[in-house]
Each structure stands twice: as C-alpha cells, then as structure tokens.
Amino acid sequence: MRQPKSKPLVLAVRDTVEIGRDCDGLLLSDPEVSRRHVVLRLDGDTLMLEDLGSTNGTTLNGAAVETSVPLSETDVVCLGHTELQLLPTAGRARLPRKPMPITGASSGPRGTTVAAGGAAVVRGKADVSGARMTSIDAVADAVDE
C-alpha cells in the first residue's frame, strides 16, 4: 500500500480489514479517502475488495468498483491518492513469520506483523476490559503471523 509522501506499507491479510480515514481497521492519512472507504476480506484463498460507498470511489485497474471483486497479483487498486497492490507469491514468502515488536511510550512492547513503517494513523479506543486498543492492534488481529 502506498500513500502520498509515505513509505509503502506491507500488510498480510488473514481476516476482514476495513480501510479508511476513520474506521476500525487500517487508518490512512489520504484526504481523498473516505472515513470508511473499502473492506478487504478473504473468500477461501481469494482476497476480495468491496467499496463501502465511498465519496470518491475506488478503481481496480482504472475501472470503477461497483460490487465485491476478487483481487489478483497484477491488479492495482486506487482509493484517493493511495495505491494498493498484492505482492507476488515470492514477495509474500519474504514477509516476517513472527510478530515484529513495536514499542509504545507507556504500553511496553506489543507484537504485530505490519512489515513496514507506513504512515497509518493510530487512534485508540477502549474495549470492555478497559485496555486500550489502537487501530494498529485491530490490523494486527487481521494479519498473518
């Protein structure tokens, strides 16, 4: 995933992940992206993309996405000025298999498998246990170990 003026972000998806500027999944800083823009979900071994009624729309290889569509390694998805592309199978094999520790100022280390320093915005929300869960924690729940 590439956002303007940001390093690429590599994300291994194993569950449903919502992407937008203000959602419960991966938060982007691209102003052309809607609050809840798209959702990625696995259907067997196929990664599916669905636009969530975004204002500026989503394109797949230049064509507007109107329904849930399957993604392949050659596809390029654009949401706002952000580009999303699947890694080739060989590239996926290079992803870390163990969580990478990310340390917080007061929370201590926690593990995720987000494999690059992208500019995803981290916003916290409290769960029923009183522990603070950030969007990156939600993404970590949905990425492959």
Side-chain angles (χ1 to χ4, degrees):
M1 178 168 296
R2 287 200 170 122
Q3 293 187 82
K5 300 179 183 177
S6 299
K7 293 180 182 179
L9 174 69
V10 177
L11 180 70
V13 178
R14 71 169 184 206
D15 199 0
T16 300
V17 177
E18 194 172 290
I19 301 173
R21 286 184 300 109
D22 184 19
C23 63
D24 289 331
L26 181 63
L27 299 179
L28 302 178
S29 58
D30 184 339
E32 298 297 314
V33 170
S34 293
R35 290 179 291 174
R36 295 182 63 237
H37 200 102
V38 298
V39 65
L40 298 174
R41 65 175 54 92
L42 285 174
D43 183 6
D45 288 336
T46 304
L47 186 62
M48 303 295 291
L49 169 79
E50 181 181 351
D51 185 279
L52 298 173
S54 64
T55 301
N56 293 323
T58 302
T59 62
L60 174 63
N61 302 322
V65 174
E66 303 293 333
T67 62
S68 184
V69 294
L71 296 178
S72 70
E73 293 175 359
T74 59
D75 290 332
V76 176
V77 177
C78 292
L79 40 150
H81 298 293
T82 300
E83 250 184 35
L84 171 71
Q85 187 169 13
L86 297 182
L87 289 175
T89 304
R92 280 186 244 153
R94 291 190 309 260
L95 290 175
R97 302 308 296 163
K98 293 184 179 179
M100 296 170 44
I102 298 176
T103 58
S106 61
S107 62
R110 64 178 180 218
T112 71
T113 50
V114 175
V121 178
V122 177
R123 269 193 5 199
K125 68 179 184 184
D127 64 12
V128 292
S129 70
R132 197 154 163 83
M133 182 172 178
T134 65
S135 65
I136 206 73
D137 294 324
V139 170
D141 289 343
V143 292
D144 197 7
E145 291 185 6

